Amino acid sequence: MIRSICTLLCCFVLATICHADERSADGRLTVIRAGRVITVSGETYTPGMVILEGSKIRLVGKNLEYPASARVIDAGGETVMPGLVLPRTRFQLDSYRRAGVHGAKSAADEIVPSEIEWEKLASAGFTTVAFVPAGTGIPGFASAFRPTRSDEERLRQENSYLRITMRNPVQDRNVLKGALEKAKKEIEKVKKAREEWEKKQKASEAKKEAEKKEPPKPTPPQPRPRPGEFEEDGPAAEPQPTPEKKPEAPKEPEKFTPPKIDPNVQPLVDRLEGKDVAIVFDVGGASDLRHLDATLELYPEVTGSYALSLGFYDDPRPLVELLGKRKALVMLTPSIDTLPYTVNLFNLPAQAARAGCRLVFVPGSDSERSFERLLAQVADVVRAGLDRDAALRAMTIHGAELLGLASRIGSLEKGKDADIVFVDGDPLSPGSSVTRVMIDGELVWRKKR
Amino acid sequence: MSARTMISALLALLLALAPSGAVRTDEPRRGRPNAEAPAEAKRADEEKSEEKEDEEKDHFLAITGGTVHTVTGPQLEGVTILCKNGRIHAIGREIEIPEKAERIDASGHHVYPGLIALSSSGLVGYGDPEVSTDVYDLELTLGLAGGLTTVVAGTTAAKLTHGTLDGLILRRNLLESISYSTRSPSSRARFREALDRVREHLRALERYDDEKKRDPEAKKPDEKWIRGPYSTAMRLLKKEAIGRATANDAGDITALARLAGHYGFRLVIQGATEGWTVPRELASAGVAAIITPRSRRDRDERLVRPNGSSIEMARILHEHGVPFGIVPPSSFISTWGLAGRDLLHLPMEAAHAIRGGLPEQAALEAITIQAARILGLDHRIGSIEEGKDADFAISDGPILSYLSHVRWTVVNGRVAYDKAKDSLFDHIRPGGDFDAPPPPDHWPRSLGEEW
């Protein structure tokens, strides 16, 4: 019996080795051996291993077999976890304010990569950093970057999420309402043009059938409003010709060219048409949320995550209750503050998680010191009652979800990007610090001894 | 043949039902400007459509026990007030309370209609309260803790809807400010001129209406010039707004009363410190006053006529049939040290009038139904009657007593303030009962087990 099990095991081991060897033909595998591997999405292995293939994660487990040719990184007793996600920052960007609707802009427009000390971001354990446009109203899209060494590879996603503020309802309500109304008008405009086009098409078809003569002349392709900005909804992709016409279409190169849409409301148009555009609403207190709801009353398609920036006199409790009910993804700073007009301490992250919110942590300010302190701050909040897993997710996978990158980053899973952070101890212990940071399988930062 | 007639009859029935169903869709009471159209008709419509609506969606609130001060009717003991969707649905002894109704056991408490602050600052937002109000604001909550449910901010009447924007606006553009003081004869002349010109214009409009019947090509009088003071005059003369003027001198008050009587517009005089010396003028012109019974103004000994303030002001106005509302000296919540002079203590101000000889009932009316009448909103607020808004201040004693605290405040059928759940006054023991166990979160507050 035992013998048979042994042979089976041997076979299995051999098979894995062979398999691995096969794979290593096109690139060496990298093996990380660590005292602990926190996958965030699944189990925690103590000790554990992560096997990387190129820039992707291939296997995560406890005792994995790997070929002798693999490059081994022995992290000893250190902990390995997915790279941290910084969901909102303006680190080293100029301070300016813009108001109004700027859906065509993104933070990537204003970033000069050589002027940002990427190493400072990497050293805090961040492997994905979302820069946001400043200002009020709809200042534009946040852009996700990787603090890698080379400038070319840094931009991960230009349009991560659209930032909409509702901090001062007197102004912000009008801006948002105006933008939504405009978006609706633009949709109507395109619809009307399409109907007219269809009518013309039908008329010309009838004519053609009567005459059966010369082919129609092709229309010139319409230039895109901004290259790379709205790739998925260029004129070709948006309202496609009706499917029933397709079979007889091939001869006809004529296509419907929709009228131009104001690029600044394009993201809202997409959202109203059911496309996937991530939105993050910046709200202060619970009242702002009520005002936001009142503004979006007629637009149930427009939903999103929330970024909280509570004022000193804002009671967080009603806000937590409201957001918890809708199981919202909520971006906040992990800190424990007093309730307004009292000396009562309120663990906002813990209460929000308990109410049903999914948290995304963001450092208190855009300074190197604040970035470095994030882990310790989270540790404080966990010590005061926040669920440990919720805290770990809030720094990784939920941030990835907020940016719409959850399929690529945020946890140690097969097929995801090899963005890994090494910590000399438990990440949620105040004494621990980041020792190594890996992005796409490459070590980009190492703590100096 | 018979089947066809049946179908057509059914269709006709459906068509007949359709409009009343449509009324309901925009009915949820977000204070739109059209929300206050002919009250009775609208209410009837609403009731009809409400019956049709799914019972599941209705929100009920039942207030049981307690002494009910209806203000316009008798004082009732041991009755139940059933509110449905923000309105008072039924008052009586044997009322069936729906199972899912929210309940307030008010036994031992006094139930009053929600109090009305005829002028306020800072409780709801500035400008248009619908977009600027912080519905979780501390001052708004404190206003509720003082028993207020409706406040006038600027020219808008708004409800203190804690935690929601629904039903916040009661009526917009309610008031038009008038400046008509003896100190500025030229501005008085200008305003009279505006009133004259607009009155002439209104007559011209009437003539035009008549003429149009005979001659379809009749020319409509030009209306482009109706701006600024002329638009104020227009709104006053068309009775679209109530004039509001601040005046304390007997001379000013008399002048204003004569003006309103002469042109026939509705007017309310704020302050009216010397109003007690000219009550007949006020009463004959039908002018209302917003008074502060506690306000002091020294007597000028050089004058022969009675002048200065009088603690009996409210009584004298009441006895002459001048409608008046009461406001405290400060229209804010905070008075920076002058406790008891702000909107948190509106009933105390009314109690000051009682000191001057005003009957208690009249004092209560001055902060409820009279205030509603002055605003022309007495079909919605100001008393506990079936069909009116479900706004209540429920206190642990007579509300005009300095000992009483508001225990619950209900706005639009929702509990907007609960003393036991809000940390503001939770620690205050009713009637000085220091043996009562402290509330669980009383000072010194515990910082939680982890800390």
Side-chain angles (χ1 to χ4, degrees):
Chain A
M1 180 65 183
I2 290 165
R3 191 169 290 176
S4 70
I5 289 174
C6 279
T7 34
L8 252 171
L9 217 97
C10 281
C11 281
F12 182 71
V13 166
L14 267 171
T16 26
I17 289 172
C18 288
H19 193 61
D21 263 341
E22 226 174 67
R23 283 297 176 122
S24 67
D26 45 13
R28 270 176 84 191
L29 293 178
T30 307
V31 177
I32 301 167
R33 284 162 52 176
R36 185 140 66 130
V37 173
I38 301 171
T39 62
V40 173
S41 58
E43 267 180 81
T44 295
Y45 303 100
T46 321
M49 287 165 82
V50 186
I51 301 184
L52 316 177
E53 184 179 17
S55 66
K56 302 278 175 199
I57 296 168
R58 196 161 126 73
L59 272 176
V60 186
K62 201 164 177 134
N63 291 314
L64 302 171
E65 298 288 343
Y66 54 89
S69 65
R71 189 165 61 107
V72 177
I73 300 173
D74 196 343
E78 288 185 0
T79 303
V80 156
M81 66 179 288
L84 309 187
V85 177
L86 179 56
R88 177 185 71 190
T89 188
R90 286 196 56 77
F91 183 58
Q92 291 177 338
L93 294 186
D94 287 342
S95 58
Y96 69 90
R97 306 223 127 240
R98 67 171 165 234
V101 185
H102 302 279
K105 292 194 176 119
S106 73
D109 300 344
E110 57 177 299
I111 286 175
V112 182
S114 56
E115 286 181 2
I116 288 167
E117 293 169 277
W118 298 96
E119 211 183 293
K120 287 187 174 168
L121 290 162
S123 68
F126 296 121
T127 56
T128 304
V129 177
F131 285 91
V132 294
T136 57
I138 307 181
F141 274 100
S143 305
F145 284 81
R146 285 174 282 206
T148 52
R149 284 202 185 116
S150 71
D151 282 351
E152 301 89 59
E153 294 167 7
R154 281 203 187 111
L155 185 63
R156 201 190 273 272
Q157 190 189 36
E158 187 173 346
N159 293 343
S160 276
Y161 60 79
L162 186 67
R163 188 167 162 252
I164 298 178
T165 68
M166 186 57 72
R167 304 281 308 283
N168 176 4
V170 178
Q171 287 159 19
D172 294 351
R173 270 185 81 153
N174 279 339
V175 171
L176 181 56
K177 199 176 148 209
L180 286 163
E181 273 165 8
K182 185 157 189 200
K184 214 143 212 187
K185 260 184 215 154
E186 300 284 48
I187 292 173
E188 285 297 310
K189 192 170 83 181
V190 172
K191 207 174 144 193
K192 226 179 192 179
R194 228 173 97 71
E195 273 166 11
E196 254 165 46
W197 175 80
E198 270 172 10
K199 220 187 264 171
K200 233 182 249 173
Q201 204 73 357
K202 263 185 196 164
S204 73
E205 253 170 52
K207 214 182 199 181
K208 229 178 282 154
E209 250 164 57
E211 294 175 4
K212 294 219 167 174
K213 269 183 198 170
E214 47 194 316
K217 51 194 168 179
T219 48
Q222 192 185 315
R224 290 177 178 189
R226 280 175 54 87
E229 183 80 65
F230 302 106
E231 275 173 356
E232 69 279 19
D233 43 61
E238 219 201 324
Q240 287 172 349
T242 38
E244 65 258 42
K245 270 191 192 153
K246 262 196 174 163
E248 47 179 283
K251 284 177 206 161
E252 255 178 57
E254 195 170 327
K255 260 188 176 174
F256 170 60
T257 43
K260 265 192 184 169
I261 283 182
D262 180 358
N264 282 323
V265 296
Q266 182 74 53
L268 291 174
V269 167
D270 292 346
R271 192 65 206 227
L272 289 172
E273 286 179 336
K275 281 181 203 153
D276 193 22
V277 179
I279 297 176
V280 172
F281 299 106
D282 249 7
V283 292
S287 186
D288 294 340
L289 191 62
R290 288 297 199 194
H291 282 287
L292 180 66
D293 290 349
T295 317
L296 297 176
E297 210 176 9
L298 301 172
Y299 307 91
E301 305 92 345
V302 184
T303 55
S305 319
Y306 301 89
L308 307 190
S309 31
L310 285 164
F312 187 73
Y313 294 112
D314 286 318
D315 190 344
R317 289 168 296 183
L319 190 59
V320 161
E321 198 188 319
L322 288 174
L323 291 174
K325 264 185 208 154
R326 45 185 99 165
K327 307 264 172 266
L329 204 55
V330 178
M331 191 198 295
L332 44 76
T333 302
S335 63
I336 298 170
D337 297 310
T338 52
L339 289 174
Y341 309 102
T342 72
V343 292
N344 278 22
L345 289 168
F346 187 73
N347 191 343
L348 176 60
Q351 297 294 341
R354 227 164 278 166
C357 299
R358 290 172 302 140
L359 309 181
V360 180
F361 284 150
V362 60
S365 69
D366 287 335
S367 65
E368 198 191 351
R369 176 91 192 84
S370 181
F371 295 155
E372 277 170 6
R373 252 183 59 78
L374 180 69
L375 276 175
Q377 237 181 326
V378 173
D380 269 358
V381 176
V382 169
R383 204 157 50 90
L386 175 65
D387 178 49
R388 193 188 146 84
D389 283 346
L392 288 169
R393 282 197 292 272
M395 290 187 286
T396 55
I397 187 78
H398 284 166
E401 210 176 302
L402 188 99
L403 300 176
L405 291 168
S407 60
R408 285 177 56 193
I409 55 166
S411 63
L412 298 183
E413 272 178 275
K414 192 185 169 186
K416 282 203 175 180
D417 290 1
D419 291 358
I420 297 170
V421 170
F422 296 65
V423 184
D424 59 355
D426 179 37
L428 295 183
S429 152
S432 305
S433 62
V434 174
T435 56
R436 272 178 275 194
V437 176
M438 179 182 267
I439 294 176
D440 282 344
E442 256 182 70
L443 280 172
V444 297
W445 184 82
R446 200 180 183 128
K447 192 180 181 182
K448 288 183 191 97
R449 283 163 205 263
Chain B
M1 188 61 197
S2 66
R4 187 174 287 177
T5 41
M6 253 177 72
I7 287 168
S8 57
L10 253 169
L11 268 174
L13 195 83
L14 271 176
L15 278 172
L17 285 178
S20 57
V23 168
R24 184 67 203 142
T25 52
D26 70 335
E27 186 42 38
R29 310 199 291 98
R30 307 292 306 267
R32 292 195 195 89
N34 62 352
E36 63 273 348
E40 270 78 19
K42 193 132 200 191
R43 215 177 296 153
D45 261 1
E46 196 183 31
E47 268 165 22
K48 227 185 282 167
S49 51
E50 260 175 20
E51 275 165 18
K52 244 168 264 150
E53 210 197 13
D54 192 5
E55 287 266 314
E56 293 293 304
K57 278 184 193 165
D58 290 340
H59 176 258
F60 290 98
L61 171 76
I63 301 166
T64 55
T67 309
V68 178
H69 301 259
T70 59
V71 175
T72 47
Q75 183 174 314
L76 306 169
E77 290 283 352
V79 293
T80 298
I81 305 173
L82 183 66
C83 314
K84 181 178 172 186
N85 299 335
R87 294 250 165 137
I88 299 172
H89 187 62
I91 306 166
R93 273 174 214 288
E94 281 156 23
I95 287 173
E96 201 183 324
I97 301 171
E99 233 169 70
K100 59 188 167 61
E102 208 179 319
R103 281 159 197 263
I104 293 178
D105 180 10
S107 8
H109 289 75
H110 292 252
V111 184
Y112 295 90
L115 309 184
I116 300 166
L118 285 167
S119 68
S120 80
S121 320
L123 274 78
V124 292
Y126 53 94
D128 179 5
E130 191 161 28
V131 296
S132 55
T133 301
D134 181 344
V135 288
Y136 294 93
D137 188 50
L138 176 75
E139 298 203 359
L140 187 142
T141 315
L142 281 166
L144 288 165
L148 303 178
T149 58
T150 305
V151 297
V152 176
T155 61
T156 308
K159 293 274 189 86
L160 301 182
T161 53
H162 186 262
T164 174
L165 289 161
D166 290 343
L168 179 85
I169 304 289
L170 195 52
R171 191 182 283 185
R172 283 181 224 269
N173 303 324
L174 196 64
L175 301 156
E176 281 286 348
S177 288
I178 298 171
S179 164
Y180 194 76
S181 161
T182 37
R183 286 186 196 152
S184 170
S186 63
S187 77
R188 281 170 66 144
R190 269 202 300 277
F191 186 55
R192 271 202 309 274
E193 188 261 355
L195 285 167
D196 280 336
R197 206 171 150 191
V198 169
R199 187 161 66 170
E200 205 43 58
H201 174 72
L202 289 174
R203 283 175 188 158
L205 272 181
E206 269 175 35
R207 279 200 298 277
Y208 160 73
D209 281 345
D210 280 350
E211 223 168 283
K212 210 168 66 174
K213 280 174 203 156
R214 278 175 274 127
D215 174 15
E217 276 171 31
K219 217 177 159 206
K220 197 180 176 189
D222 180 30
E223 286 200 326
K224 271 183 195 155
W225 55 276
I226 300 177
R227 273 179 276 123
Y230 297 109
S231 113
T232 305
M234 182 82 164
R235 295 195 64 224
L236 289 175
L237 292 182
K238 284 174 89 179
K239 302 214 166 53
E240 287 173 352
I242 302 154
R244 175 176 59 187
T246 303
N248 288 307
D249 282 333
D252 282 349
I253 293 167
T254 320
L256 273 164
R258 281 180 192 155
L259 187 77
H262 180 69
Y263 289 95
F265 62 86
R266 298 185 56 197
L267 177 69
V268 54
I269 296 175
Q270 187 142 12
T273 312
E274 285 184 357
W276 63 276
T277 62
V278 287
R280 281 182 200 89
E281 274 85 347
L282 288 172
S284 63
V287 172
I290 300 175
I291 58 167
T292 304
R294 183 182 338 186
S295 63
R296 289 296 309 275
R297 184 185 168 121
D298 286 343
R299 194 184 130 75
D300 186 343
E301 299 294 344
R302 293 167 299 174
L303 295 176
V304 181
R305 63 172 174 82
N307 66 92
S309 60
S310 163
I311 190 141
E312 290 184 292
M313 161 162 65
R315 177 187 64 79
I316 294 166
L317 292 180
H318 174 66
E319 280 170 5
H320 285 82
V322 179
F324 63 89
I326 289 177
V327 294
S330 160
S331 64
F332 293 81
I333 276 293
S334 170
T335 51
W336 296 279
L338 297 167
R341 293 167 58 93
D342 59 349
L343 274 181
L344 195 52
H345 302 92
L346 180 61
M348 291 251 261
E349 198 60 39
H352 271 269
I354 300 172
R355 268 174 97 86
L358 186 72
E360 209 171 308
Q361 174 68 14
L364 184 58
E365 282 176 8
I367 51 175
T368 53
I369 189 69
Q370 280 295 10
R373 281 182 195 138
I374 288 171
L375 299 173
L377 294 169
D378 50 318
H379 63 284
R380 292 269 310 260
I381 54 172
S383 66
I384 300 180
E385 286 173 77
E386 283 176 21
K388 281 203 179 185
D389 289 15
D391 296 351
F392 308 103
I394 305 172
S395 57
D396 55 14
I399 203 159
L400 295 172
S401 159
Y402 65 94
L403 285 171
S404 304
H405 264 272
V406 172
R407 176 72 178 79
W408 294 279
T409 308
V410 177
V411 179
N412 291 340
R414 283 175 63 256
V415 179
Y417 169 78
D418 183 343
K419 184 175 162 227
K421 285 188 185 153
D422 210 296
S423 56
L424 287 169
F425 298 106
D426 186 24
H427 56 287
I428 295 173
R429 309 254 71 72
D433 177 10
F434 293 108
D435 294 332
D441 199 21
H442 186 51
W443 181 271
R445 297 175 190 272
S446 81
L447 299 184
E449 277 168 27
E450 286 88 356
W451 291 82

